[in-house]
Amino acid sequence: MKYNFDEIIDRKNTNALKTDALGPRYGNSDLIPLWVADMDFLSPPAITEAIIERAKHGIFGYTCPSQEYYNSIINWVDRFHDWKIKQEWISFIPGIVKGIAFVIDCFTTKDQKVVIQPPVYHPFRIVPTLHHRDIVYNPLILEAGQYRMDLEGLKKAIDPQCRVLILCNPHNPGGRVWSRQELIDIAEICYDNNILVISDEIHSDLAYAPNKHIPFASVSEKAAQNSITFMAPSKTFNIAGIVSSFSVIPNDELREKFHAYLASSELEEGHIFAYLAAQAAYEHGEEWLKEVKSYLWDNINFVDQYLKANIPQIKAMIPQASFLVWLDCKDLNLSQQDLVSLFVDDAKLALNDGVMFGSQGEGYMRMNIGTPRANIEKALQNLKRAVDSKQI
Ligand SMILES: Cc1ncc(COP(=O)(O)O)c(C=O)c1O
């Protein structure tokens, strides 16, 4: 390994949400933070170096995206995801959650509905709700320890007021890398029912072999013509704070409408370090990514083995992508409140409460394993002590 992911770096007092918001969020600032989805590793040195180099110039005026910035995205998406995109399809957006809000605002009216497939990343529910759109739920089906989409359920759940479906591709919190067939089927149903698909592909670069991420828009003409894809280097290279997401829209009409919406508030104007960091990541981050994925995969297996050997009442859903592990704690037979209290008050751990992701998350907690192994080991030991002391 060229990069040392075992290094423990103190993030406290850097305004890191993960460490410095523990007090307000969990009522205790002295917890091991395994919640919000960023990692405790240094980003690829090429990103830091590019930022430092540019900062040395000392003038931080209005900035435009360079040709190299676009090329780096186009090459990355082609090489890693076998999807050929054109420069004009791409636009900077100031975050994917914000992008979802923009699509809802731009393409739906208040009497229209948004479809989501819970348990799923909570802003998929919160953002449309705060925009006064009703949500239609098509829960995922749990089968042999993995989630799959309920395509028949989707056909039954939708009605003519449904206008947008938000797809988490790959899935958070279950970690599924959807199959080509699942994506083709979703594309077919949505196209035929005039439901625009937002494909949130923020976790796409972190798929573990043999799973391979498939961009939604690449699976069929119906998918390409009826979707808005969001991607970002933020999860991949641990640069969420830099905010460097982008949208990709092959369909002319959808793209013109969305780009005009963005332009009306200058939302498509990125900032100096966003362009720079994204380009450095895509041009020079490949080796780092390979190593971080290998480290993350070992962390996932470590959690799985530890639980099997020491806390068999808790089962890890092995993610096919990314660094979030969905823990099935139902065999502890605790109410959700007592489950959260076991983690926070007894084990001194800050994980995400499964119910955040929908009622289907009852009995679950989401663990972020994007941290040095020593932290994971300590967290699991705390958890074992807490479970043992309760004799559950
Ligand atoms: C599925 C998914 N989408 C979007 C985001 C956040 O993206 P952004 O910071 O660009 O809004 C996250 C972060 O955890 C996520 O898991």
Side-chain angles (χ1 to χ4, degrees):
M1 283 265 199
K2 184 167 159 192
Y3 303 103
N4 178 13
F5 300 109
D6 282 328
E7 187 185 357
I8 304 224
I9 299 165
D10 188 3
R11 298 182 65 190
K12 281 198 180 129
N13 303 317
T14 64
N15 292 330
L17 186 67
K18 203 176 191 178
T19 51
D20 294 357
L22 282 172
R25 300 282 177 116
Y26 289 85
N28 182 352
S29 54
D30 201 18
L31 305 173
I32 301 179
L34 304 168
W35 61 297
V36 65
D38 63 26
M39 302 191 275
D40 300 324
F41 308 131
L42 292 177
S43 290
I47 299 179
T48 314
E49 284 157 18
I51 291 172
I52 291 172
E53 214 32 59
R54 182 62 185 80
K56 279 191 202 155
H57 185 262
I59 299 177
F60 306 106
Y62 292 116
T63 302
C64 51
S66 66
Q67 187 58 50
E68 290 77 18
Y69 161 77
Y70 286 115
N71 292 350
S72 73
I73 293 176
I74 292 166
N75 290 336
W76 183 268
V77 174
D78 183 14
R79 262 184 336 114
F80 279 80
H81 304 304
D82 300 321
W83 185 27
K84 297 205 182 319
I85 59 173
K86 295 186 181 156
Q87 181 167 328
E88 61 267 28
W89 298 359
I90 303 168
S91 173
F92 173 88
I93 49 162
I96 289 185
V97 174
K98 294 179 190 74
I100 290 170
F102 302 155
V103 172
I104 286 165
D105 201 28
C106 176
F107 289 97
T108 72
T109 52
K110 286 209 169 111
D111 55 335
Q112 293 180 319
K113 300 177 186 172
V114 174
V115 186
I116 64 170
Q117 307 194 91
V120 74
Y121 182 54
H122 49 296
F124 285 19
R125 167 179 49 82
I126 293 168
V127 169
T129 303
L130 293 177
H131 283 76
H132 310 287
R133 272 41 165 194
D134 283 344
I135 311 271
V136 170
Y137 297 94
N138 180 48
L140 298 172
I141 294 176
L142 189 56
E143 204 172 69
Q146 287 285 347
Y147 285 114
R148 71 170 173 82
M149 292 193 215
D150 184 359
L151 297 161
E152 287 311 309
L154 179 62
K155 284 185 209 157
K156 287 189 201 124
I158 54 180
D159 65 47
Q161 293 309 104
C162 294
R163 179 69 190 104
V164 166
L165 178 141
I166 316 176
L167 177 68
C168 201
N169 178 34
H171 189 73
N172 168 12
R176 263 303 305 281
V177 169
W178 304 116
S179 69
R180 185 172 295 277
Q181 194 56 52
E182 281 170 302
L183 298 175
I184 289 172
D185 291 344
I186 281 277
E188 183 91 12
I189 296 168
C190 289
Y191 185 93
D192 293 349
N193 290 280
N194 194 30
I195 298 172
L196 173 65
V197 177
I198 300 176
S199 187
D200 175 347
E201 307 196 358
I202 197 166
H203 294 282
S204 58
D205 300 323
L206 291 165
Y208 301 109
N211 303 288
K212 189 168 169 12
H213 170 72
I214 304 172
F216 174 76
S218 72
V219 299
S220 68
E221 200 48 25
K222 284 186 174 176
Q225 296 308 324
N226 184 41
S227 63
I228 294 183
T229 298
F230 292 140
M231 294 179 150
S234 49
K235 302 286 168 204
T236 320
F237 300 104
N238 204 28
I239 53 170
I242 292 177
V243 184
S244 48
S245 331
F246 54 94
S247 57
V248 186
I249 313 178
N251 177 276
D252 295 341
E253 210 177 306
L254 291 176
R255 188 175 62 248
E256 274 159 29
K257 185 163 173 174
F258 191 59
H259 285 188
Y261 175 91
L262 294 175
S264 69
S265 303
E266 294 191 349
L267 296 167
E268 86 291 15
E269 292 200 357
H271 59 93
I272 193 164
F273 295 115
Y275 296 135
L276 206 71
Q279 183 190 330
Y282 290 140
E283 284 181 354
H284 305 293
E286 188 172 342
E287 193 183 357
W288 184 93
L289 176 59
K290 205 168 147 219
E291 290 197 7
V292 86
K293 274 168 65 176
S294 156
Y295 192 88
L296 292 171
W297 184 244
D298 289 347
N299 272 1
I300 291 166
N301 282 310
F302 182 83
V303 170
D304 184 45
Q305 296 304 321
Y306 187 97
L307 292 176
K308 280 183 174 138
N310 298 287
I311 324 175
Q313 305 95 311
I314 303 181
K315 293 169 200 71
M317 184 178 283
I318 305 294
Q320 297 172 341
S322 211
F323 49 84
L324 306 167
V325 180
W326 194 226
L327 299 178
D328 177 350
C329 308
K330 292 199 286 289
D331 285 349
L332 290 172
N333 290 314
L334 295 173
S335 68
Q336 194 67 16
Q337 199 182 354
D338 288 348
L339 179 62
V340 171
S341 167
L342 173 80
F343 276 79
V344 177
D345 303 323
D346 302 333
K348 307 291 177 215
L349 305 177
L351 277 74
N352 290 90
D353 178 349
V355 166
M356 276 173 72
F357 306 93
S359 59
Q360 299 76 9
E362 189 151 356
Y364 288 84
M365 299 291 285
R366 192 192 73 175
M367 181 178 190
N368 177 345
I369 55 86
T371 194
R373 190 126 341 120
N375 282 341
I376 303 266
E377 215 170 328
K378 186 156 181 275
L380 290 170
Q381 285 163 359
N382 284 7
L383 186 57
K384 176 172 166 48
R385 259 196 309 276
V387 171
D388 287 352
S389 73
K390 294 236 173 234
Q391 297 182 321
I392 40 180

